[in-house]
């Protein structure tokens, strides 16, 4: 992604998202629990955690049985 090609005003949002996702970048092996905690913090920083918590999961619309 090239920030200089973003529409006006979007560059600041891109930088904020990039900074929030830095802890998820690979820095060698780490326990899954630590990665999930970092993901939770990134989602919180981006303001997406509460929205995701309200989304339905599972059910007929998500899973289809084959056969």
């Amino acid at each position: 992604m090239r920030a200089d090609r973003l529409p006006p005003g979007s560059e600041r949002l891109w930088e904020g998202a990039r900074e929030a996702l830095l802890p998820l970048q690979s820095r060698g092996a780490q326990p899954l629990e630590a990665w999930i905690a970092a993901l939770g913090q990134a989602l919180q920083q981006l303001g997406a955690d509460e929205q995701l918590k309200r989304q339905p999961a599972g059910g007929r619309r998500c899973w289809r049985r084959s056969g």
Side-chain angles (χ1 to χ4, degrees):
M1 171 58 100
R2 289 190 47 186
D4 61 325
R5 292 187 177 179
L6 291 172
S10 298
E11 193 171 329
R12 188 182 55 134
L13 292 172
W14 169 251
E15 283 303 316
R18 212 169 67 84
E19 286 178 28
L21 296 173
L22 278 175
L24 298 177
Q25 291 182 355
S26 179
R27 291 194 172 99
Q30 63 176 324
L32 179 59
E33 184 178 358
W35 189 88
I36 290 172
L39 175 61
Q41 290 172 347
L43 290 171
Q44 208 169 25
Q45 241 183 314
L46 294 168
D49 61 323
E50 290 302 318
Q51 291 174 340
L52 286 172
K53 287 176 186 175
R54 289 191 297 266
Q55 294 297 313
R60 296 180 146 224
R61 299 172 84 192
C62 295
W63 300 101
R64 297 195 191 276
R65 291 184 182 179
S66 58

